Amino acid sequence: MAPQPGAAAWERMESLDPVDWSDLRALGHRMVEDMFDHLETLRDGPVWRPMPQALRQDLTAKLPRKPTSADSVYQDFRRLVQPYATGNLHPGFMGWVHGGGNPIGMLAELLAGGLNANLGGRDHAPIEIERQVIRWAAEMLGFPEDASGVLVTGTSVANLIGVLVARSASLGPSARTDGVGQTRLVAYTSAAAHGCLPRAMEMAGLGRDALRLIDCDRNGRMRLDLLADRVAQDRAAGMRPFLVVGTAGSVDIGAVDDLSEIATFAAREKIWFHVDGAYGALAALAPKLRPLLAGIERADSVAFDFHKWAQVPYDAGCIVVRDAARHLEAFGAEAAYLRREHRGLAGGGVWPCDLGPDLSRGFRALKVWMTFSVYGADRIGRIVQQTCDLASALAERIDREPALQRLAPVALNIVCFRYVEADGDLDRLNADIVADVQESGIAAPSTTTVQGVLGIRAAIVNHRTNRADIVVLVKAVLAAGRARAVDKKKPPVMHRGQVYREASRLGDAGTRGPFPAPGAGTLAAP
Ligand SMILES: *Cc1c(COP(=O)(O)O)cnc(C)c1O
């Protein structure tokens, strides 16, 4: 008989749980309190500040072999991490298309971390939560109840899944064994489509050249006459059109393709119709905006994010596929160790690992489920509408300001403009203005190229952003622009408190929003 460990050895067995939980409990409570403080006082701090080089050095240590107290590691988090995050919680953050997160989602992350569920498969309640979320997504989009879907990191992966399901629908499941070879599959999307689509084509083995980028009209919508021409041309050349991707909310200016016309075209041509609705799909929850998405309910698949307009904490992307059999056909797993049973923990029907590339997966569904349950879809729809209303207000303001020029129509929540009251290289000037404003901590717009010129891009996504923040953004851009127009080389000195105060003093209609309390210490800091 093999020697058994003695009692002393059993005593020494390791576990990561504490023997006495009281200290850890206290620390956990403090963390939650501190995070609520952080959320409650967001406005008092800068939107973003760069992480000092010296502090980055503190993150170059070797693998820690020995323990450090949880208190001390938490202090490091407070010192090194929290102050230098992206800034997307802050109402002044308008760069790229970032969601603001929400406190219920934050708590859901704590609970999900506590359960540590693996949603690759098997029979348990967390998977039922994800199935519920997918049914909600289908309902929101006007898809049939039995549509299939799965949560993923983001729309980049959701779009990849869309391409792979479309590929398998076109070639049949044999593509999974035979590969794509010389299948001559070609896909179509607008020239304004997101960069993850050509990447999806690369990863699908089809090559980015097989994605035809169709030019847009003046409103940034894919031109359907050119689409039809290109498909006809490709067919004549012996290519195999298999997929057309419509965009609902283009990343640069927020344009929405004519999804209804694309649906009709795709049906006639027998081509898979996928929609990249990364953030735009959430417009389905806002009654005034929903008509813009008409036709999305006829798509074969839709990719979108809960972490943008729905304000769910990162990360939470989603793909919904109308025909569940097609979805399963593209990913169904067969490995022996994933064997399904009719009863026991290995039961539970189709597993999420049958619907995408991931096997082990976390409990993203919980934060989506809790966010929608607590706030309700209508309230999220009102937030979506509010950000679009703010974008209109910003556009109007820009149009009244001679030093600023708007660069694109505003279909949803993105406003592109630039500072024009200066000579010389306006692209350089506007890039500098954006960096100046970001570094001032006052606001965080980003840049993009519209019609060949570099513009300042304000994407209003955050539920915390209000009219005052719009005024502050304009003031900050004007201040930076004027300073730079005088001295191109010198970054302007801008004080956050001053810009905020000026904006409120001007008594702009609608600037009654919650300005930071006067006298709050951090306000006067640059
Ligand atoms: C953000 C975005 C993506 C990429 O989504 P991720 O969640 O960042 O992967 C794709 N398409 C559009 C239109 C987007 O706005």
Side-chain angles (χ1 to χ4, degrees):
M1 212 176 104
Q4 296 290 310
W10 283 120
E11 294 279 294
R12 281 197 309 273
M13 299 235 3
E14 294 262 20
S15 157
L16 301 179
D17 287 338
V19 177
D20 175 351
W21 288 78
S22 41
D23 286 355
L24 196 55
R25 248 177 223 277
L27 177 63
H29 292 157
R30 215 169 79 225
M31 286 173 168
V32 170
E33 285 299 329
D34 289 348
M35 247 330 150
F36 279 127
D37 284 346
H38 183 57
L39 295 181
E40 237 188 298
T41 58
L42 281 171
R43 273 182 186 278
D44 299 347
V47 180
W48 171 82
R49 60 188 129 190
M51 185 176 187
Q53 212 48 47
L55 293 185
R56 291 177 206 249
Q57 281 303 316
D58 286 2
L59 293 175
T60 56
K62 294 276 185 221
L63 178 69
R65 293 277 173 181
K66 300 277 184 269
T68 311
S69 81
D71 265 302
S72 141
V73 174
Y74 178 54
Q75 286 319 312
D76 280 348
F77 168 83
R78 301 268 295 167
R79 182 175 66 90
L80 296 173
V81 185
Q82 191 178 315
Y84 309 106
T86 329
N88 54 314
L89 297 179
H90 197 288
F93 190 96
M94 301 169 198
W96 302 274
V97 177
H98 275 43
N102 75 80
I104 291 297
M106 174 182 95
L107 294 174
E109 286 283 69
L110 178 70
L111 303 182
L115 280 189
N116 188 32
N118 182 341
L119 278 80
R122 294 153 289 271
D123 192 17
H124 51 99
I127 289 197
E128 291 302 337
I129 295 287
E130 180 155 344
R131 290 185 181 129
Q132 168 78 91
V133 165
I134 297 299
R135 282 191 297 270
W136 286 348
E139 185 182 335
M140 175 183 91
L141 296 169
F143 267 42
E145 254 173 55
D146 60 355
S148 172
V150 70
L151 295 182
V152 289
T153 44
T155 294
S156 302
V157 169
N159 277 334
L160 171 62
I161 292 176
V163 169
L164 293 172
V165 176
R167 186 188 75 175
S168 142
S170 170
L171 297 176
S174 66
R176 291 180 63 183
T177 36
D178 303 347
V180 291
Q182 293 301 313
T183 46
R184 301 167 74 84
L185 292 183
V186 281
Y188 305 81
T189 193
S190 107
H194 193 272
C196 64
L197 281 161
R199 280 162 54 82
M201 292 290 285
E202 292 171 15
M203 290 186 277
L206 300 168
R208 61 194 305 145
D209 285 354
L211 181 64
R212 316 302 203 200
L213 299 180
I214 308 298
D215 281 342
C216 298
D217 65 17
R218 279 179 39 245
N219 293 318
R221 297 158 57 125
M222 175 159 65
R223 277 189 50 189
L224 302 182
D225 55 330
L226 299 181
L227 170 68
D229 289 352
R230 192 67 211 258
V231 168
Q233 207 182 316
D234 280 333
R235 285 205 198 280
M239 307 303 284
R240 240 172 111 173
F242 81 107
L243 164 69
V244 56
V245 181
T247 300
S250 69
V251 68
D252 49 359
I253 66 167
V256 183
D257 283 341
D258 188 337
L259 303 178
S260 192
E261 284 296 314
I262 300 176
T264 302
F265 175 79
R268 192 170 66 229
E269 295 282 333
K270 300 195 168 41
I271 302 177
W272 188 274
F273 175 31
H274 174 81
V275 174
D276 175 356
Y279 71 91
L282 269 294
L285 297 180
K288 268 166 62 191
L289 300 172
R290 193 177 171 104
L292 283 174
L293 299 182
I296 200 169
E297 71 288 348
R298 291 160 65 198
D300 293 299
S301 52
V302 178
F304 71 95
D305 284 321
F306 285 110
H307 59 217
K308 290 178 174 168
W309 246 352
Q311 318 289 334
V312 171
Y314 284 93
D315 49 26
C318 183
I319 171 94
V320 181
V321 180
R322 167 182 309 279
D323 182 340
R326 283 277 126 83
H327 191 181
L328 187 59
E329 220 167 68
F331 288 100
E334 284 160 16
Y337 48 82
L338 297 178
R339 215 177 110 91
R340 314 304 153 83
E341 302 291 352
H342 294 295
R343 46 189 286 266
L345 186 52
V350 172
W351 291 358
C353 69
D354 295 316
L355 303 173
D358 296 314
L359 176 52
S360 294
R361 321 167 50 250
F363 196 2
R364 288 188 187 100
L366 188 65
K367 60 194 172 187
V368 182
W369 183 74
M370 287 188 75
T371 297
F372 275 82
S373 300
V374 169
Y375 300 109
D378 290 348
R379 181 144 174 215
I380 292 169
R382 288 199 297 276
I383 298 282
V384 165
Q385 182 66 54
Q386 172 176 298
T387 61
C388 292
D389 293 345
L390 286 169
S392 304
L394 174 59
E396 273 170 36
R397 236 196 122 73
I398 288 164
D399 293 347
R400 278 192 273 121
E401 192 60 65
L404 302 176
Q405 178 197 9
R406 196 145 58 80
L407 296 176
V410 176
L412 296 172
N413 60 332
I414 298 181
V415 186
C416 294
F417 63 104
R418 66 182 194 157
Y419 188 88
V420 291
E421 224 166 56
D423 306 321
D425 183 352
L426 287 179
D427 281 7
R428 182 70 261 150
L429 174 69
N430 280 276
D432 283 338
I433 289 173
V434 166
D436 290 340
V437 173
Q438 289 172 352
E439 286 173 3
S440 75
I442 295 171
S446 56
T447 62
T448 191
T449 303
V450 185
Q451 307 186 358
V453 302
L454 183 134
I456 301 171
R457 175 167 164 283
I460 301 156
V461 184
N462 193 326
H463 57 101
R464 302 181 180 98
T465 304
N466 66 24
R467 292 182 74 109
D469 299 301
I470 298 301
V471 178
V472 165
L473 171 75
V474 172
K475 297 257 165 262
V477 166
L478 289 173
R482 284 188 197 116
R484 284 278 176 187
V486 172
D487 186 346
K488 282 192 183 52
K489 300 242 159 46
K490 200 157 138 263
V493 182
M494 294 193 290
H495 293 280
R496 221 151 41 82
Q498 196 181 327
V499 173
Y500 269 68
R501 274 192 300 274
E502 230 183 82
S504 59
R505 197 168 50 236
L506 276 168
D508 263 274
T511 54
R512 282 155 293 133
F515 280 100
T522 47
L523 261 186

